[in-house]
Amino acid sequence: MIVSVSNLQEPVGSLRQAIDLCGGFERLERNDRVLIKPNICLSEWMPLYGMVTTTSMLEALVELLIERGCRGISIGEG
């Protein structure tokens, strides 16, 4: 497993850098179907970053997948 870390400056660029550093889209083919399972929690205490998937990062991931050519993108949350 390869892990990458990127400083958050703006969602799309930071996420693109982290994905590129770990080769995260290498096996992803154009027109592949993708299911995104974000970590969304409901509670009174919500951290800004780190423990839950923020909507800005979710939007950035969808943008990068569309840029890659993926069209069958689904978001599944329990």
Side-chain angles (χ1 to χ4, degrees):
M1 176 190 314
I2 299 172
V3 176
S4 65
V5 176
S6 175
N7 288 328
L8 179 63
Q9 294 171 7
E10 58 87 21
V12 175
S14 298
L15 187 57
R16 176 182 284 117
Q17 181 184 28
I19 290 169
D20 289 346
L21 285 170
C22 70
F25 283 171
E26 284 180 1
R27 296 184 346 186
L28 189 61
E29 298 291 329
R30 186 172 180 81
N31 296 319
D32 275 353
R33 296 181 62 183
V34 177
L35 171 65
I36 301 170
K37 170 44 181 101
N39 185 28
I40 298 177
C41 303
L42 299 176
S43 72
E44 292 179 20
W45 181 80
M46 294 283 281
L48 292 177
Y49 305 105
M51 293 179 60
V52 298
T53 306
T54 63
T55 54
S56 60
M57 292 307 279
L58 188 58
E59 181 181 10
L61 180 56
V62 170
E63 285 182 35
L64 292 175
L65 288 168
I66 289 171
E67 182 181 290
R68 181 73 177 192
C70 298
R71 296 291 177 251
I73 302 168
S74 300
I75 300 172
E77 178 54 48

